[in-house]
Amino acid sequence: MLLKIYDKLLNHFGNQNWWPADTKFEVIVGAILTQQTSWKNVEKSIKNLKNENVLEPKKLFNLPVKTLEILIRPSGFFKVKSKRLRSFLEFFVENYDGNLDKMFELSLNDLRNNLLSVHGIGPETCDSIILYSGDKPVFVVDAYTLRLCERYPIIKTKKYEEVREFFEKNLPKDVNLFKEFHALIVELGKNYCKIKPICEKCPLNEGCKHEISNNDMPNR
DNA sequence: ACCCAGGTGGCCC
DNA sequence: GGGCCACATGGG
């Protein structure tokens, strides 16, 4: 079932090659900045950080908050997100000396729990970090994934943990597959799921229960 | 002038 | 446990 959906999406959209970033650390910063924000805007912030040569753990840690706010302004919620970046950096430098290998040495479970304890890192950001920066097999669930589950009915619950476990149990434990699948679901959501008329051309048109409104995103 | 974007935490009931 | 709200910029 899930693999069939995956194949259709892959055939239609092709390989997405997520996450676009030069370093693992950049992935983490991007994961926090992209919360409820278009990637285009995040790119501007990332570019600013690179231009200032501060896109490294200790350098970012030592950056004054005011400066950080200015640099990440294009990606929105800049005061909230500068705090969230600070929370992560403090956690990261204090516990792992700003060393990603050290952090990712943890067991999947400890890693998840520790990241989730950081203020501003919720389930999706946590799992994006683990999958795309840590290369470990957790499935990232987002609002698009929940909507997909609703429309085909794949699973009744809308609870993050349950949906994540369902995908992980019903797919081969393949990091690359998890990366691509999540990216493809996002691509699907961006292109086809908003307005009913477009559904005719949707690769998942068959069996879709999209009947109602233009916007029925789970968290709006 | 709207509407939306690769969420999260706070507060209320 | 669920429902609503603030957070903010840039693009369509």
Side-chain angles (χ1 to χ4, degrees):
Chain A
M1 171 69 170
L2 289 182
L3 271 181
K4 196 167 210 166
I5 291 177
Y6 173 73
D7 282 336
K8 284 187 185 171
L9 292 177
L10 184 58
N11 280 330
H12 191 266
F13 293 110
N15 238 280
Q16 301 298 303
N17 298 309
W18 274 22
W19 193 290
D22 293 335
T23 64
K24 286 167 174 285
F25 182 67
E26 184 180 330
V27 173
I28 297 177
V29 173
I32 292 172
L33 292 182
T34 199
Q35 293 169 351
Q36 192 62 26
T37 300
S38 69
W39 183 251
K40 278 287 166 207
N41 285 1
V42 177
E43 283 178 333
K44 297 175 207 281
S45 296
I46 299 272
K47 184 176 269 182
N48 287 344
L49 294 169
K50 283 181 176 170
N51 286 344
E52 294 299 315
N53 193 29
V54 290
L55 195 44
E56 292 166 42
K58 299 253 167 113
K59 288 184 181 174
L60 206 54
F61 180 74
N62 289 315
L63 200 65
V65 185
K66 271 290 164 201
T67 314
L68 182 58
E69 285 181 0
I70 292 165
L71 294 176
I72 68 167
R73 175 165 266 150
S75 42
F77 303 150
F78 60 89
K79 284 184 194 158
V80 177
K81 285 176 181 172
S82 59
K83 280 201 198 92
R84 292 179 181 176
L85 282 172
R86 288 294 315 166
S87 320
F88 172 74
L89 289 166
E90 280 158 21
F91 156 85
F92 184 42
V93 171
E94 279 169 22
N95 295 295
Y96 310 103
D97 194 34
N99 182 333
L100 282 178
D101 293 329
K102 246 183 228 175
M103 187 177 81
F104 287 128
E105 266 173 20
L106 294 174
S107 71
L108 209 48
N109 235 282
D110 290 346
L111 182 57
R112 261 195 121 246
N113 291 332
N114 288 359
L115 283 174
L116 285 173
S117 74
V118 177
H119 185 94
I121 296 187
E124 185 182 341
T125 308
C126 166
D127 291 336
S128 297
I129 291 171
I130 296 176
L131 179 63
Y132 292 104
S133 178
D135 287 306
K136 288 164 184 265
V138 289
F139 199 87
V140 178
V141 175
D142 66 347
Y144 292 129
T145 314
L146 296 180
R147 187 169 64 180
L148 179 74
C149 290
E150 207 165 34
R151 288 197 183 163
Y152 291 91
I154 293 171
I155 177 173
K156 292 120 301 233
T157 177
K158 277 180 167 182
K159 292 193 177 125
Y160 187 99
E161 288 304 315
E162 292 174 18
V163 175
R164 178 175 70 82
E165 280 167 20
F166 182 84
F167 274 75
E168 289 176 9
K169 273 187 193 122
N170 291 281
L171 287 170
K173 218 181 188 62
D174 178 340
V175 167
N176 218 30
L177 171 71
F178 285 10
K179 286 182 178 178
E180 278 306 315
F181 202 171
H182 171 66
L184 286 165
I185 290 172
V186 172
E187 198 57 22
L188 172 77
K190 289 204 286 205
N191 287 291
Y192 286 108
C193 290
K194 293 173 194 160
I195 308 165
K196 178 88 165 138
I198 303 181
C199 287
E200 317 305 326
K201 292 198 265 177
C202 174
L204 299 184
N205 185 27
E206 206 180 326
C208 179
K209 301 260 192 290
H210 183 184
E211 309 284 357
I212 330 143
S213 60
N214 288 349
N215 191 350
D216 50 346
M217 282 295 271
N219 57 352
R220 288 241 176 191

